Structures are given as C-alpha cells and as structure tokens.
Amino acid sequence: MPEPGRAVLPEQPASLSGPELHRLDAYWRAANYLTVGQIYLLDNPLLHRPLTPADIKPRLLGHWGTGPGLNLLYAHLNRAIIRRDLSMIFVTGPGHGGPAIVANTWLEGTYSQCYPDVGRDATGMARLFRQFSFPGGIPSHVAAEVPGSIHEGGELGYSLMHAYGAAFDDPELVVACVIGDGEAETGPLAGSWLSNVFLNPARDGAVLPILHLNGYKIANPTVLDRIPREDLLAMLHGFGYQPYVVDAGAGQDSHRVHQELAAALDRALDEIATIQRQARTTGQPVRRPRWPMLVLRTPKGWTGPQQVGGHQVEGTFHAHQVPLAGVRDDPDHLAVLERWLRGYRPEELFDADGVPVAVVTESCPSGAHRMSANPVANGGLLLRELDLPDFREYAVPVPEPGATVAGATGVLGGWVRDVIAANPDRFRLFAPDEVASNRLDAAFEVTDRRFLGAIEPGDDHLSPDGRVLEVLSEHLCQGWLEGYLLTGRHGLFTSYEAFIHIVDSMVNQHAKWLKVSREIAWRRPIASLNYLLSSHVWQQDHNGFSHQDPGFIDHVMNKKAQVVRVYLPPDANTLLVTMDHCLRSRQYVNVVVAGKHPAPCWLSMDDAVRHCRHGLDVWAWAGTAGAAEPDVVLACAGDVPTLETLAAADLLRQHLPWLKVRVVNVVDLMRLQPETMHPHGLSDEVFDRVFTRDKPVIFAYHGYPWLIHRLTYRRTNHQNLHVRGYQEEGTTTTPFDMLMLNDLDRFHLVLDVIDRVPGLADRATELRRLMVEARRECRDHTRRYGEDAPRVTEWRWMGTRPG
Amino acid sequence: MPEPGRAVLPEQPASLSGPELHRLDAYWRAANYLTVGQIYLLDNPLLHRPLTPADIKPRLLGHWGTGPGLNLLYAHLNRAIIRRDLSMIFVTGPGHGGPAIVANTWLEGTYSQCYPDVGRDATGMARLFRQFSFPGGIPSHVAAEVPGSIHEGGELGYSLMHAYGAAFDDPELVVACVIGDGEAETGPLAGSWLSNVFLNPARDGAVLPILHLNGYKIANPTVLDRIPREDLLAMLHGFGYQPYVVDAGAGQDSHRVHQELAAALDRALDEIATIQRQARTTGQPVRRPRWPMLVLRTPKGWTGPQQVGGHQVEGTFHAHQVPLAGVRDDPDHLAVLERWLRGYRPEELFDADGVPVAVVTESCPSGAHRMSANPVANGGLLLRELDLPDFREYAVPVPEPGATVAGATGVLGGWVRDVIAANPDRFRLFAPDEVASNRLDAAFEVTDRRFLGAIEPGDDHLSPDGRVLEVLSEHLCQGWLEGYLLTGRHGLFTSYEAFIHIVDSMVNQHAKWLKVSREIAWRRPIASLNYLLSSHVWQQDHNGFSHQDPGFIDHVMNKKAQVVRVYLPPDANTLLVTMDHCLRSRQYVNVVVAGKHPAPCWLSMDDAVRHCRHGLDVWAWAGTAGAAEPDVVLACAGDVPTLETLAAADLLRQHLPWLKVRVVNVVDLMRLQPETMHPHGLSDEVFDRVFTRDKPVIFAYHGYPWLIHRLTYRRTNHQNLHVRGYQEEGTTTTPFDMLMLNDLDRFHLVLDVIDRVPGLADRATELRRLMVEARRECRDHTRRYGEDAPRVTEWRWMGTRPG
C-alpha cells in the first residue's frame, strides 16, 4: 500500500479507448446540458431557435456548481457498472445537485418510466426543464421524487452513513457515495468515515466514498480543500481508506481527467472485488480491510461561464448557485447562457426529436443495473415481512395487577433476541453503546456486536458477524438505520431518551421524506423507523439533569400526523404488544418510551392486547367509580406516571372510599388528538365519554405537561384538565425525589385531586395533612439516608383485579 | 516533524527529579483516594477505623473508570502550570469523571472556598464524600456546580469545540482538553479536530487536546483504541496536529508513565510556546502551525480492583461505573474496597485532621493559577459590557406603515458591523457559511472571515484575523460560541432556521447549564446565547421542504422559562431594537427569527422601541375598531404572517368597512403565556383587554400553530382562538404559494374571519367568493408562470398612519 500522504495514483496507461472516451465525453456533455437547461429554460429546450427572454424562467432557482462533477462521476460509474455487471446505487451528498441527478435519470430512461408525461423526447425535455424548481413541479434537491435516490442531501452530513446503512447485509451492492467537501465539515459526516469498522466484507456490500473536492461552499472555500493535501490524505488513510486522487486542475484537459478517473475507479473497484473475494472465499477470519476511496478535485461549476460581470465564476464560490442571474433582463447574460448551452453541442447529443442519440444512451446500463432503477433505492420493492415470533409467548404472567414485577425492556429483550435470530438477513439492532444498559442484552444470547476493529480477550460479544451495531454516536445509529430501512430492511434503534435529541434534525428529514414518499406513486412503503427510548427521564436519577429530557416526543409531534406515532406502554406486556405492532408497521416514525427497571406489571397479555388496540382505556379495576360518572378522572401516560397514578388511586380508595375515581391509561398518545388532526384521534364523543364533559382530570404524563394541553385543547373538558409532568427540574438524586421535584408523585396527585374536586377540600383536610406530611417524610428520609423512604419502595398495588 | 504514524516520543532523559516524582505520585494517590471515597463512603472518610457496611452509601452512583486518568493529567498539568506560570483551564470531555475533578478542586482548596461547609479537613472530607451523587448533594458529572468547569460532559462530543471557543481571543490561555475515546466516536467531536483551521496563534490562546485512550465505553471497546495505532496517528496528523503518545501499557510501572507524561507535556508546551512566539514576534504573516497534542493510553479504572467476581475489572469496561456493586451486603466486596482505599496510603496524604499534607498541596498552583479558580472558567467574572452603537442611528425611516421596504437582516447587518468594529476583543459572529446568505455581509466592511487554511486569489474576505467564524457545521458554531460565552465574551450565531435543529441537543444542555448556574452563588452571569434565525421557513421556497422547519422555537420553549426568550420582530426597526436588547441581556437563550428579503417596514424607530418594550401591542392604525370593542382580532407574530395579516386587514377595510377589526402584533412570544408561567407573561387582565374575552381571534403565526395554543390554553378567550401557521406542507415553489399551501395567506385569513365572526357568513358572500377566486387565480398564475401573481407582489399597505 502506498504511504499515507503519498497516495496519489501511480502512472497508469491510458485505460480508455478512443470510442470509450468519446462516449463518456458525449454522455457528460448531455448530462451537463440537461442540468443547465433545468435551471434556466422554460422553453426552447433543444435551442432549435435562438434563445429569447421568454425562454427563460422568471425565477432562477437551483445549484449549478456541484453538477458537472456529479455528472462526471455518474458517467464513469455507469461505465464501470456495464463493464463489471455491478449492482450499484448513487448517494448524492451535495443534494442541491438535484438537476444533475435528474438529468442522469432522464438519460437512463428511468425518469420517463416513473413519470410518463416527461418522455425522453423534445416534449418531455421541455417538461423536464420547466418543472424543475417550478411551482407544481419538482424540488431543487435529490428528494424522494428522484428515481434512484435514498438521500435528499438538503441537510448536509448524512450521505456516508446512509451509504453504509444501505450496504449492510447486501453483499452484491456497491454504494457510490459522493461526499461534498462542504458536507465533510459537518460533525455527522466527520464521524461517519470510521463506519468501515462495522462493515463486514464477507456479508455486507461495499461503500465507495468519493470525496468531491469542489473547493467552495456558498461563500467560502472548503476546509478540506485548503489544508495541506498530504494532511488530507493522511487523515483519510488514518480512517482506514486507501485514497486515490484525481485532480482536474483548472479543468482545461478533460480528456486527461477522464483517463485518470477511469483508471482510479477501475483500480478501486478491482480492490473492492479482491477484498470481497478474499473475505468470502479463503475461509480465513474476516478482517477489516483497507477499503479504497476516491478524491476527485474539479473546478466548481466546471464547463460553466468563466467570468461574469468582471469576476471569475468557474472554479469559485460564485458558481455555487445560478452563475448568470440576470438572463431575462440582460442581453449579455442571455448571450453567455446561449453560448454556454451550445458549447455542449446538443445537436450531437439529441436527435431532432430530442431523443438522446446512441453515443449517449450506450453509456447507460440497462434495466435494474441503472442506478436510477436499482430496486435497492426503492426499498419497499424489496421489503420482505419480518418473521416475528409470537409476542404472547414472552408474556409476563400477571395474575392480578401489580402482582408481578418485571423490567419492561428486559422482557422485550427476549423477544428482540428471537426477532434477530429469525431474521438474520433483514433486521438489525442499533444503539449508542446502550443495548446492555437498556436491558436488551438477551440479544447477545444469539448474536454479537458487529466489530471489525481488533478484538481482545475479555471483550463482550464482539465479532465481525454481529447483528447488533453499537457505536457511541446517535448520528451513526440513526443514519445507518435510515439507510438500512430505505433499502428495504427493518430495524430498531434503542437510546437513552435524553440524548435522542442529538438526531432531532435527522428525524425531521426522515419524516419529511416519508411524508413526501406517500405522495409518490412509484415509491413503495418501507419499514417504519422504530425508537425504543429507555433509561428515560425518570430513570436518570443517577446521571442527573443533563440526562433528563423527555422532549423528543414533542419534537416528533411537529411532523406530519400521517407519519408519526408515539407510544407509552405502561408495563412489560404492553411494551411487547406495542413493539410487535411497530415492527409490522410501514412508513412511520414510531417512538416508544419504556422503562428498564423492575416495575409492577398491570395487565395480563390478553388485557394488554386489548388495551393497546384501544390506545387508551378506562382501567375500571383501578378506580372506584365503576360504571358511574366519576367525581374525578386520574389519567396517566408512561410507566412511572402510571405507577404514581395507581398509587394515588389506592390512597384515595383507602382514605376517601366514597369518592368516585376513574383511572384512564393512555398508551397511544395520538388518541388524545381530535380525529380531524390525527388518524388515531378519538372522536369527541368517545373522548367525552372517557374523560367526562365537566369533571376534573388529573393527568400524570411522562414528559413536558404542555404537550397534553396541545393535544387536547379543543376537547370539551379541556378547561378541567390539569397535567403533571416533567417541569425541567432535576439533578442526581433518588427516583422518587425526582418525582417530587416535579410534583408528579402520588402524594401530590392526591393533593391535586383534593384541590380540584369541588367541595373536597373541606372534607379531606386530614388526607391533605397526611399527604403533605408524607412528602416531607420522604424528602427528609432521602436527604438523610440517600435512598427512597421504605413506604415508597415497598408499596404495592392493593386494588382489585381487572374485571 | 516526525512522520505520521511514527509520532511516538523520541527517547527522553528522565525529566522528573526524585522529589518531583514523589510529589506527583502522592498527589495522584490523594486524588484517586478522594475519587473512590466520593463514590462509596458515607462516613469514616480517613479510614481511621475499619470499614463497616454503615460507612457505605446505600446507592452507589458514579463513574470510576475514567477517574485515575483524569487525576493523572490534572497532577501533571498542575506541575506544568507551576513551572511555567501558566493560565490554564481543564475541559473534561468524559464528564462522568465528576468525582475525579471534584477531588482535584478540593485538594486545591477552591472547593472549600466556593462551598465553605465543605472544608479542607476531615469534616469537610466526610461531607465531600457524602454529598456526591447524593440527594441534596451534587451531581455525578462535571456540572456547573464544579469550580473551574465550563463543560458538564454529560452529553458527549462537545469538549474540543468548547475548548476552542474558550481559547479564542485569550492569547495567554492554554486550554487542556481531555477527549474521551468514547466521546471521540461522536460526530460533533470528530468534526471538532479541524477547529485549528480557525485558531490564530498570534491572537488566540492555545488548545492542548489530550486524547484519553481509556479503551472502553459502557460495554464496548472504543473504536479509536482498536484501529491500528499508526492509523490513529495518521488521522491526528492529518487533522494538523503533532501527536505525542504516552502509553501506560498494563499499568504496572506508574513511575515510567509519570516520566513519559511529564516529558511529553513539557515538549508539547514548549512547542506551543515556540508557535506563539513565532506568530507574535517575528512579524511574519501568521500561518496555521502544527499544534502538539497528547495521546494518553491508560488502563480503564487504573489502580482499582483487578478482579471482581471472577472477571477482570481494571483495564476493562467493567471498571466504567462502580466496580464493586455489592459492598454493603458482601463482606468480600467490602474488604476489597478497604484494601483498594488503603492502597493509596491515605495516612501519608492527609494528616490526622484530614488536611492534605504538604507533599500533596505543594503540587497545587496557587490563587487564580489553579485550574479550578481560573476566572476564565467563571466567565461572568471577566465579562465586560459590549460597546454597542446606538441602534437608533441605523433606523429605516418609516414615514408611514409599509411605505419603506427593507430587508430586516440587511439593516441589522450595518449595526452588527459596528458592534464588531467597536468590540474587537470580545464579540464574534458565528455562522455555517450563511453570513452573506442571511444578509449580514456588511460585517465584511470592517472584518474578514477567520481562516488559517490556504488563502487563494478570489477568496472573499478571508484572513487569520477575521472576527467572523464561518464553518459548515452548526455544531462547531454552537460549541465555539458556548465556549466563548462561558469564558466571559459575547457573540451572535446566525443560521438558517430549519437547520438550527442540528444543535437542539446542545442548546438543551446549555439551557440546563444556565438554569443551574442561576442557583449557584459564586457563578456570575454570562452573556446570553443569541440566535438570529433567517432564511426562515417562509423564505425557503427555493430550497424546498427539507429547508422548511420552524420547530426550533417549540424545542427551546421546553427549557426553563427563566432562561428562554423568543422574539419575532415584524420588520427592520423592531429587529434592531430586539437585537440590541438581546446583546445586553445575560444568562438567557434568545431566539430571534427575522427575514432577509425586502419587506415592508411598519414602525418608525420610536414606535419600534415602544412596541418591543410592550412585547405585544394593538396596532390601532392597522385596524378599524379604534378604541371600540372589535368584532374580530387579527393577531400576528413573525414578519411574513404580519404582512399577510395587514393585507387581510386591508382587504376587510376595503370590502367590509363597517367590520370592527383589531390588529395585534406579537414580537415577544413569551408575553402570551400566563404571568405565572413566564416572567414576561401578561396578566389575564391585560391579555383579556387586548384579545377580548369573547371575540374571535385569527392568529397568523410564523411556526407550528399549536405552539400558540400551548401558550394560551389557560386564557379566557382561548376557545375563540384560531391559529394559522406552518402545517408541514412545503416544496420548491413561490413564497406566496408556500403561504397558500399552509392556509396562512391573506385571502385565507379573510375567509377565516368570515367563518368565525358570528353572522358574517351571510353578509359577506361576495367577499368570500372574491377570496376563493383570488386564491385560485394566484395558484393558477403561479403554476403557469412560475412566479407569484402581480396582485400579491405589487400589493402595498394602504392603511392609515400610526396614530
């Protein structure tokens, strides 16, 4: 292997024949032409007449700068696909290169297959141009509308993790991943390079990272282009890659670049083939190879206008977006545009009817070999149902409520273990080093943690074949899983609740992708993105305030109702039911929050199934109101609030047995919304029946209390709704002290009842005193002994059986 | 310079004298002893009697594994501080090493100065031990409670960016930054290394990164410890550092490690001094040097128990948290703990009264040289007011509402420029390559973008001295700014609105830090964290759906009310007033959302000042109700919704002149909350006066509509409140089409009025028809011509002057 810092390509014989070079160049010119056309032209797509201002779009929206580099790569990858019969997809890190990628998919014919009104002819070309970044048309980025895309690239940083996610468990796939040099400055991208520590050359596909040194961002040079080249190569070498550099210099000699790029790509793909052959055929233990990668340096906006208005455009940040801004009004700009377009010699590339000629289309692979038509990039096409073991068989026996104590995630762990075992090719578990901490470690009875770094004695279940991906990066877990799902597989991401905010922005983008995908006829539904958030806000008493944050639920709720689901199963059996449902669902973001510590189980499996089907329900056995209209409703959502609510109900039963209390548990948070707002929303009629029209409702909620108000503000009885939840008060203390700090403890719930039920204050003075005293006692005990008072920890539900 | 991959330290003469070695070792043992004591002991701190179960905490909460490495570094850095008379702070990436850092601050005497009840004696030591991770005591992490800390380290990944932020503009400071090898897997940390491209050795301080190869995370080895060592060093070299490696091996020979670490540290600090001297005295152009760094490999839990329950603990992940879990119940564990503690020979380290003996305290610097007492780490102590130019002088003349058109952020840019010029040592502007895009480019009239990479012809305002920090990483912008603020300086972060979600989790942590800091007597208030979010949801019509997300406001609102402020200035002058206010404020997170495109200005500067002081106000000039009770209230928050609301008011004025319309504009979103919920909240009385008790309120809001409901659900008139906002509908289209997609356009607002005002539907059938028609016309025009209909773009406010 070459030394780091000297990883330039050794001199190669010209590897392209004359005709090959001719074809590549023609294809590249065609793609560039179509890229420019989309940005500028309303009409006159083939320049059959001189351009006039009326041919130009009134608003010029799009990005040119990255386009020619993307087109160059697409052309060369196509050549390699044909020569090597590859299954490949193209991940476009600089997603603002939308017009370039669309251009390639149109040349390949895929675009017209997906959108028959945009044919591969002059009429179609006119539509292709007009629709781009045009009202009622298509977005400016490589969004879900673009065939072959699994990555919009609007928010930069996630291309390489998506690429690795796509490559997992697809040994025949090569993912070509173009990483923008701007994108490469982001943290998530910087943390993605070492994904190769988790890729198994025997069982996974390959990722070919292509760092596109385009040189500039919106207004700045890129960092990676301006550090010493030997440092850049040392860095990439340090990440475990063998970089091959192709440098177009000032761009004068495109033929040299074609030759060098073809040679570099051949060498890289040869190496990938060698690595895979060695890993798959020699029988030797699989090791982490040094994967090849490309560094392609091209002038930004290559082949575009050199100078505009006196300053250099090609090769500078001025080429980032629309190099000629005044085309409609400025005849000089219009003339420059026409020269620019004609410079690609469209008459050699398209026939009189606008159909690409053979020299262009011969460069395109056919059928599913086209990167734009690879079913991998429309993962729903390949999606196979999971083989799911019957969750009922993992049920915790619950002879009566609270009689059984179990850690919910630990119980789930047994089922997850068997999901992993039954689906060795299409399900993975992802976590930021928290599988064991979140008590899913039963998984390690059947598999290991995937790891291709050095493995040493004493390591716990590490191997190159593991189905569990643990890395201390929520970004990587999320990005890998997204890539895995988008290519037709299934997965589960388990994380500490507080730190899942790290991927807020990523889940935004994924939810937007799902929302848009639902509206695209040819995209098939993919498996849902499933979160199991544990070590939640009420279980981070030991790590303190920074680990206490239930706001991810609020964040997710802002996304489109059709794609978002939030579940708060109150115990082990309901968690089993919920997770089975989530893994069977499609095209959602499912957020499930559940505890890991031993806790009372409330429902038998039959009851759990019924409860989860209803989403929320009256727990008649827990209240005293029976079928009667209650004096007060105690509602709860979340495992810890449920326990406190039942404890409060028990206290009320003991001390005020004549008070009619109704207990309602909510497992599906979306049930609270009006049916007009969310498909799971309850009708007002049912809601009113459950929560009454005029009785006080004390709602103990897992997260920030105002979310419950947001969901219910239109409900009849909203003015009587009083929500307790996390008030952003926390520290390192005991679990019950955390509840008291936030007024969510059982005693405070009883006080809330006393305060809210009309007339009760006078009749419950003794109970009020007891509750105040109990809080003080618990607080004092905790401050003195460092643990919760025995009356709290030894309490068990004393109520009746479920009826 | 050594080759990358061979960057081990050349053989050094033993640089520590016998007495020095003795002192270092004694100090290290003392710190380790105190670390273990905090995790385990309730009492018997000096082991003056054998340990009994009653001496042990009932809940063992804390992390041991990283502690001994942190203590070793702290000891050696102290030695260097004394020898070199340095100003240094210590940033603890693995923030779960709380007990270690607390131990050092106690040994230095700072802890007892901050907390006089925890004296540096036996009683104090008992309290020190007891309080750690104990109810009513202190957190488990290096939280705000810890003297000398600017970095909690609970959420991993931000240490190095905080360190660089602290070093900016403080040329005498050295920031020692310990980076955990787990932390190093995170994206944000991986993206931080190249911060050195933005550090000027002449004008900034130095950062000394210390990668602590502790080997393990919670349950896994770390990636960086398991890739080839030469790859790791090539990577660090590629990042521009010169790494020096100290490897403790299995930890048997701590004296050798002391010698090597002292030598490595001396060499690194010598190089830093040389770099700074060259940059500061030679008069040569400042260049990016190769900064030194350390790689310290030590066994996890070094000096702790070797084996527990048959498996190896020291040097494995089993040492991460509490190595001996059963100390209270298991006599064997208790015995191991006692041997472990006595192994540090506390009787040599503390006198009979628990006071550290001279051989220990002689290792500590004195006064502000103590890292725990450096005022830099209590930035409010050093905070100097900004010299702020009078914002009134930048006012846009507004002779009557809407008569002037200006881009709000562009106007602000002139003021920001002069803030930068007037405060060349304590104010910086941070952006992810968006300063020019967000129209603050006037800044470049007085300064440049800071850049120490290669600068080439055509680059736009790049220099090593620039006061503007542009890097394509929201994480870095946020982390640098946090570090800068926490050390007593001021700043402004401008970003696209949608992508600020990237730092959701970071702002969580900063807001938590601010909340806790307010409760700590010795922490002085720091400057607020100020966001200017532009290119907002209504101005991303060209980039499309992925760029359209106003949810950061919702996210921030979940943090404690005392530290959070959100402003939506409706025009240029109100933006000037708002930003002046924000830059004068302390200890807040201020979120300001404002547009960059030319837009009507509504208020003269005098009116703007009054409006912002009120936070929300009736714009009597815009309505038709005068002083009378209105038939309907049109409320608005945000620049674009304000324009649409005024257009709707104008339409109503023209078509239904007899309808009494009141227009209310909200600039301070917190005014909507009850006064019991937020210090800015309006009383119900005032709120009812403005919004009426029973009239329909049509509220046009910038973001997700339910936020307004969340803020107002307890208000008298909430049931009549109808909010329009962003409904997660978007794509690449025109600005007005974006509004129509979300029912926030003027025509729809008028329709809402017709629907909501009792009896109006029958009287306004013609207006309804016109509005429906106008929407259709706009939509058709846009679909046909690709731009907004002239009637929308040419509209100007026709109403009356402000009264």
Side-chain angles (χ1 to χ4, degrees), chain A residues 59 130 185 217-218 226 433 459 472 504 512 541 548-549 558-560 706 714 727 784, chain B residues 59 130 185 217-218 226 433 459 472 504 512 541 548-549 558-560 706 727 784:
Chain A
R59 300 171 77 232
R130 181 188 174 91
E185 292 175 22
K217 297 170 291 195
I218 304 180
R226 298 296 180 86
D433 194 25
D459 286 344
L472 217 164
D504 271 5
K512 283 172 181 278
D541 44 284
Q548 293 158 351
D549 193 302
N558 275 343
K559 298 300 106 184
K560 208 67 187 174
W706 29 84
R714 284 282 181 245
Q727 300 172 16
R784 182 167 306 168
Chain B
R59 300 171 77 231
R130 181 189 175 91
E185 292 175 22
K217 298 171 289 196
I218 303 181
R226 298 296 181 86
D433 194 28
D459 286 343
L472 218 164
D504 271 5
K512 284 172 182 278
D541 44 285
Q548 293 157 350
D549 192 302
N558 275 343
K559 298 298 107 187
K560 207 70 189 174
W706 29 86
Q727 299 171 17
R784 180 166 307 166

Side-chain angles (χ1 to χ4, degrees), chain B residues 170-172 196-206 271-281 285-291 450 452 464-465:
Chain B
D170 193 347
E172 302 310 315
N196 58 24
V197 174
F198 302 86
L199 190 83
N200 180 325
R203 294 164 173 260
D204 297 324
E271 285 182 16
I272 287 174
T274 303
I275 287 167
Q276 292 181 332
R277 195 165 48 243
Q278 281 174 350
R280 294 171 190 185
T281 61
V286 170
R287 292 192 305 190
R288 174 169 171 254
R290 184 166 295 280
W291 294 96
R450 165 78 44 117
L452 284 101
D465 291 331

